[in-house]
Amino acid sequence: MKYSLCIAFALVLVIGCSEPKADPEKLNHANALVNTGNFEEGIKELDEIAKSSPNDLALKQSLISAHMKFGHYFMFNDTLAPKVKYPSALKHYREVLKLDPNNQDAKDNAQQITDIYKMMGKEVPTV
């Protein structure tokens, strides 16, 4: 009986001390902003959510996705000058790699931008 009571108490402690989850409504709203091209506002909302739920897996995936989409927006936007698109894209690919160091798409795109700068004999932005 005492053993069962100890286990129950331990479970209550573990459940009560677990990381807070991101508010699903706020997360959905931020994702909707990103998906409609409002990248800056969506990422700003995701960053705000991260203050209270820094270890939420769904939030992490949303941040990765948002930064990848924003990076791609810059990288593949032919209307932007290279001096605008490449540093901006690189910044977002690096954000992805902070969250997921094994993200191959972000690695490949960041490397491509780095190679472009090196090929032109220019310093790679540290943004």
Side-chain angles (χ1 to χ4, degrees):
M1 180 73 172
K2 285 184 179 181
Y3 182 71
S4 297
L5 189 58
C6 287
I7 290 176
F9 182 70
L11 284 173
V12 168
L13 276 177
V14 169
I15 292 169
C17 295
S18 66
E19 285 286 327
K21 296 287 182 186
D23 181 328
E25 286 184 32
K26 289 181 180 180
L27 193 57
N28 287 338
H29 183 260
N31 286 329
L33 288 169
V34 169
N35 291 332
T36 57
N38 295 313
F39 301 109
E40 287 180 27
E41 190 175 344
I43 290 172
K44 183 179 177 183
E45 286 191 16
L46 291 170
D47 286 339
E48 192 62 35
I49 296 167
K51 290 178 182 176
S52 60
S53 306
N55 297 318
D56 184 275
L57 186 57
L59 173 63
K60 180 180 177 182
Q61 291 303 315
S62 291
L63 278 165
I64 290 168
S65 176
H67 282 290
M68 281 302 295
K69 288 177 182 178
F70 207 10
H72 287 347
Y73 165 80
F74 286 109
M75 180 78 167
F76 302 110
N77 189 333
D78 293 333
T79 64
L80 297 174
K83 66 181 180 181
V84 173
K85 67 192 254 176
Y86 294 132
S88 300
L90 186 57
K91 172 187 169 190
H92 290 285
Y93 295 139
R94 286 177 174 162
E95 287 298 320
V96 170
L97 292 170
K98 285 180 191 175
L99 295 162
D100 178 9
N102 297 315
N103 187 299
Q104 195 61 49
D105 194 15
K107 281 182 186 179
D108 292 344
N109 284 302
Q111 187 61 53
Q112 183 178 6
I113 294 168
T114 300
D115 291 345
I116 290 169
Y117 274 96
K118 288 180 179 178
M119 185 176 62
M120 296 185 327
K122 296 191 176 200
E123 190 173 323
V124 179
T126 58
V127 196

